[in-house]
Each structure stands twice: as structure tokens, then as C-alpha cells.
Amino acid sequence: MNTSNPLFLRALHKEVLTTPPIWFMRQAGRYMPEYRKVRKNFSNFLDMCKNPDVCCELALQPIDAFNLDAAILFSDILTIPDAFGLNVNFVEGKGPIFSNSIDTAKDISNLPQFDPDKLDYVYKAVSNIKNSLSDNIPLIGFSGSPWTLTAYSIEGKSSQDFSKTLNFLKTNESDVHSLLLKYTDACFLYIRKQVQSGADVIQIFDSWANLLPNEDLKIFSLDYISSLISALKLDPITKNTPIILFARDPKCNAKTLIDTSADCISLYWKMKNFNIDEAKDKVALQGNLNPKILLEDEEVIKSETIKVLNNFKNFPGYIFNLGHGITPDIDPSKVKFLTEIIRGY
Ligand code: CP3
């Protein structure tokens, strides 16, 4: 093994390491005062994402503050639906609002062809961040999963239960499949451009996997993720780029996730019964401290972190992460404390 490789890439190649590499989902964001200071200058969050210099500054903030082992592109998963003309705005206290959500089957057939160049601002952010990072800190690019992008596009906003989406799915199944296919093709082109611009690793966020029961999860989400990954593995530009799959609270077993051919599975914090032995030598694993533990006092953070570290001890290819993103209510000093516990383990 090449020990001069960054720790994060060594873990993704399933090496056993004495201390795991560390990064956190949503490591850049509102919990950091440095972030809030920059955020004040923009009323619409997506306008901030369209400024590659600002994205670069924001992606580097957690690297500078916590000495992490990987940076993640600063952007959002909803850039693709926005580029399709669904017009996404982020409204304070409400989250994303689509002014042209998908309401009818006709809205799907009328969608324009995806133009990956509309997202040039994202690729420019990738190259700016890559050029500002030292060689030992890989850069993670990302995309939403076809299903998660579809769910937001039909719902038109964040929701607890996505009832509009699930009802639409019941009566327009084949149209939903055609939207999933359009998003799969768009994700492929989008990811390829991120890799061409300097992303070393890609994470796919299936943040609404939890909406689908087992059999439907495969049909409407994981099968599209598998075909996206197989296209990436066949393409000369992306074939060697490790792919991490995060699925939120998926109603399926370890094997079903591993069967997508992702190189690494990012475990949701509730996935206590994920069979680690089944994953051994097949995939790397990332996770999975409950992010809400960071609201507890240091003693609790320490003991819960040690439990996670013990659980993955000796697993070939383990990356420390949370089981979902850092929330705005978390104190950055707790994040610092957490990284010190892991490094000292
Ligand atoms: O360090 C990082 O991870 C920053 C880059 C990043 C953001 N969003 C920035 C962001 C990433 C990787 C995402 C992914 C994302 N976006 C996901 C998948 C991850 C997950 O949590 O499951 C999802 C579902 C979204 C969609 C989204 N973006 C929502 C629903 C919202 C509003 C609610 C919320 O959590 O704030 C956003 C906004 C958003 N994306 C913010 C940030 C920093 C906050 C925007 C603000 O400052 O107002």
C-alpha cells in the first residue's frame, strides 16, 4: 500500500488504519460563526452557491477550524432541479421552495434536455477549492440521488411525509420512472464534470430513501443509483473515483446497499443492526455517531464516540463521520472536542 496517499483515500481503499480519517456531513454551515458572517451577505442561499469564490471560502472554514481529513464541495443537491428550470429558492425558516414544481405527467415530458454547462458555477467552485487545498486533503464532490431529487421536485418543498410525492407516484408510476431516468443521466454528467474539475471522491446523498418501503426502495431509488454507479465505473474520467453512498434510514439490509457497487457505505445513525461482517472486504464504511450526541456534555460525547470507534475497530476501511449532518444548534467547540477524542483513540 502507498502510505504517502492521504488517509481518507487509504480508508476508501479498505486499508486497516490505526486512527480513522475524519470528516463530517454538513461540516460547513450555520453552526459555524464564520459561515453565518458570510451568509449575511446573501438573501437567497442559492445565490451564494453561485459564487465560486465564496464557496471556496466556506468549504475551507471547517478544514481550518478542525483539521479534518477531507473537504466537501460547498454547494447544494438542488442545483440540478434548478438547472432543469424548476426554479429553487431557499426561504428563511421554510427551506427550499420550487416555483415550478412537478405537478402533472406533462410537466415531466415538457422538461428541457439537461445542460450540464448551466452548472459551471459548481465546477468552478470545485476547481477553486481543489487549488486551495493541500495535497493530503482530498476533495469530495457530491450529488443528490435521482430519487431524492425527484421527491423534492414533485413535493416542491421540504415536508415531513412527502405525501404529494407518494400520491403522485401511485397514479403516475411510469412518468416518475422517466423523471428518475432524466435525473440519473443528469447526475452522471454533473458528477463527471466535478471529477474533471478536481473532485477526488463523490458522495451520493439519498436523503429521502426513508420514504420508500423495502421493495419500492430498490425499484425507485437503489436501481437508479446502481445504474449511475455502473456508468461512472465505465467512464474513463470517473472509473477510479471512489463513490460513497449515504442513504437516510433505508428500509433494507446491508447486502442491498452493498449491491449498488458503491465503494463506501455511509451509515445512518440509526443503523445499529447493519452487519459489519457482511461488508468486510467488499466496501469501506463511514459513520455513524448520532449528530444529536453533540448537544450533550463532553462525558457523553466521549463515551458514545468510543462506542462507535470500538464497533469499527479493525474494520478494513473505516472513516469516522456522523450518521447524518451537523445541525445548526451544535456548538463548534463540541466538534473540536469530538475530533480530539478520535485522534487520541
Ligand atoms: O459542508 C457541507 O456539507 C456543505 C455543503 C452541503 C449543503 N447541502 C449546504 C447547505 C451539502 C453536501 C448539502 C447537501 C444537501 N442539501 C442535502 C443532503 C444532505 C442531508 O442532509 O441529507 C439535502 C437534503 C439538501 C437540501 C437542502 N439544503 C435543504 C432541505 C436545506 C434547508 C434546510 C437546512 O438544512 O438548512 C438546504 C440548505 C443548505 N444547504 C444550507 C447549507 C449550509 C443552509 C442554508 C442557509 O444558510 O440558510
Side-chain angles (χ1 to χ4, degrees), residues 192-312:
R192 191 167 58 167
K193 289 250 185 191
Q194 290 186 34
V195 171
Q196 269 177 320
S197 309
D200 301 293
V201 172
I202 293 293
Q203 178 149 325
I204 299 170
F205 287 96
D206 196 8
S207 302
W208 290 103
N210 61 317
L211 296 173
L212 299 168
N214 186 308
E215 195 50 31
D216 287 352
L217 176 62
K218 189 166 158 7
I219 295 170
F220 295 102
S221 186
L222 298 177
D223 284 352
Y224 288 95
I225 291 173
S226 301
S227 73
L228 172 60
I229 294 175
S230 79
L232 293 167
K233 295 296 177 193
L234 284 170
D235 188 90
I237 292 163
T238 49
K239 66 177 190 216
N240 295 320
T241 306
I243 311 290
I244 306 172
L245 172 61
F246 169 76
R248 168 166 160 195
D249 205 6
K251 310 292 184 268
C252 68
N253 57 24
K255 184 175 180 298
T256 311
L257 292 176
I258 295 166
D259 282 348
T260 60
S261 300
D263 300 282
C264 174
I265 304 295
S266 187
L267 300 171
Y268 185 67
W269 60 270
K270 275 191 192 164
M271 293 174 80
K272 301 243 161 46
N273 54 1
F274 184 96
N275 188 339
I276 291 181
D277 292 334
E278 215 172 319
K280 193 167 175 248
D281 301 322
K282 294 198 189 102
V283 285
L285 290 177
Q286 176 175 278
N288 71 338
L289 183 73
N290 181 351
K292 292 292 174 207
I293 294 291
L294 291 170
L295 295 171
E296 304 290 330
D297 59 33
E298 293 193 345
E299 224 165 289
V300 177
I301 296 174
K302 184 169 178 179
S303 69
E304 292 298 316
T305 303
I306 302 274
K307 273 190 214 161
V308 172
L309 291 167
N310 285 342
N311 189 32
F312 294 100

Side-chain angles (χ1 to χ4, degrees), residues 25-30 35 39 45 72-78 90 95-96 142 152 158 205 207 246 324:
M25 284 189 268
R26 297 290 194 104
Q27 62 193 24
R30 281 166 297 186
Y35 171 88
R39 178 70 177 85
F45 170 70
I72 181 161
L73 161 67
F74 192 90
S75 191
D76 199 80
I77 62 166
L78 301 180
F90 285 82
F142 69 88
Y152 273 119
S158 276
F205 287 96
S207 302
F246 169 76
H324 203 173

Side-chain angles (χ1 to χ4, degrees), residues 118-129:
K118 280 208 166 143
L119 296 174
D120 270 344
Y121 65 88
V122 177
Y123 321 131
K124 186 78 180 54
V126 171
S127 64
N128 282 3
I129 300 164

